[in-house]
Amino acid sequence: QVQLRESGPGLVKPSETLSLTCTVSGGSINNYYWIWIRQPPGKGLEFIGYVYYTGRTSYNPSLKSRITISIETSKNQFSLKLTSVTAADTAVYYCARLGEDGDGYFPLWGQGAQVTVSS
Amino acid sequence: DIVMTQSPDSLAVSLGERATIDCKSSQSLLYSNNKNYLAWYQQKPGHPPKMLIYWASTRESGVPDRFSGSGSGTDFTLTISSLQAEDVALYYCQQYYSGPYSFGQGTRLEIK
């Protein structure tokens, strides 16, 4: 079955760029929307943005100025870059997939990657 | 942006009893296709959320039938008909009517 796995540095310095990659295995990245969501420690879930396999993106306006989400279909991967990070960006970052036909629920999630922003 | 508010923040229910969690949206999630754009998730410590319900009342494949979703418009409910020990978790509602997608603050369900 399709599985998602996040990878990237677990520690990022303030003002630097957070970079994460999600690898899709067991199925194709094509024809789906792929998402990033984060969860600060002890807090709720925040939608970051999504990318369609064509490269079309949509971002949360609260983070839009700092986010880039991209996709590499040949590698079955999509990525998140978040610039100018602060301690408030410390969170578990999840990659996920939208439902069939692009419906906006999330039936498939990665295990999550802990990212800490600290000097 | 649509704001999702869950109640209560925490809930303790005896094993075998019914548990209900409410979710209210700041605007209607009912689209012209007569579908409510709302999902429910369960999250256990150290794990990602698991989708239970979508379209407000459609159970995801493999989810036990003791979980059910109801409601329409701005008011929704997740019901666990007979609480099992493995149901202890955080529960979130999520709207996908319009961007940015948003979640409720979560409800912590415990055993009484």
Side-chain angles (χ1 to χ4, degrees), chain B residues 83-102:
Chain B
L83 189 71
Q84 305 299 304
E86 61 265 32
D87 301 334
V88 169
L90 272 165
Y91 291 84
Y92 293 94
C93 59
Q94 176 239 332
Q95 68 82 17
Y96 48 100
Y97 182 91
S98 67
Y101 303 135
S102 52

Side-chain angles (χ1 to χ4, degrees), chain A residues 43-81:
Chain A
K43 295 188 177 181
L45 299 158
E46 181 181 28
F47 169 77
I48 297 172
Y50 69 66
V51 60
Y52 193 41
Y53 80 101
T54 58
R56 182 167 66 87
T57 57
S58 178
Y59 301 148
N60 190 325
S62 69
L63 297 167
K64 188 174 184 177
S65 63
R66 299 195 291 135
I67 299 171
T68 302
I69 299 177
S70 58
I71 194 163
E72 286 194 69
T73 54
S74 62
K75 295 183 178 180
N76 249 28
Q77 292 178 333
F78 62 104
S79 299
L80 168 70
K81 290 189 187 304

Side-chain angles (χ1 to χ4, degrees), chain A residues 28-42:
Chain A
S28 175
I29 204 168
N30 290 326
N31 300 311
Y32 287 99
Y33 289 82
W34 303 93
I35 299 169
W36 289 99
I37 292 168
R38 70 180 183 179
Q39 186 170 34

Side-chain angles (χ1 to χ4, degrees), chain B residues 18-22 40 53 64-70 77-82:
Chain B
R18 178 187 299 258
T20 59
I21 298 170
D22 293 324
W40 288 97
I53 303 282
D65 61 7
R66 64 180 181 273
F67 291 91
S68 63
S70 62
T77 299
L78 175 70
T79 301
I80 307 172
S81 60
S82 177

Side-chain angles (χ1 to χ4, degrees), chain B residues 5-70:
Chain B
T5 304
Q6 293 179 228
S7 60
D9 290 333
S10 63
L11 178 64
V13 174
S14 301
L15 288 173
E17 295 298 305
R18 178 187 299 258
T20 59
I21 298 170
D22 293 324
C23 175
K24 180 180 282 289
S25 57
S26 60
Q27 65 184 73
S28 177
L29 305 183
L30 179 62
Y31 196 57
S32 55
N33 58 6
N34 209 35
K35 289 184 173 181
N36 286 282
Y37 283 55
L38 181 106
W40 288 97
Y41 301 84
Q42 175 194 67
Q43 187 178 30
K44 298 182 179 180
H47 291 271
K50 172 188 174 183
M51 191 177 76
L52 302 173
I53 303 282
Y54 58 104
W55 298 127
S57 60
T58 301
R59 201 179 301 114
E60 172 72 326
S61 175
V63 172
D65 61 7
R66 64 180 181 273
F67 291 91
S68 63
S70 62

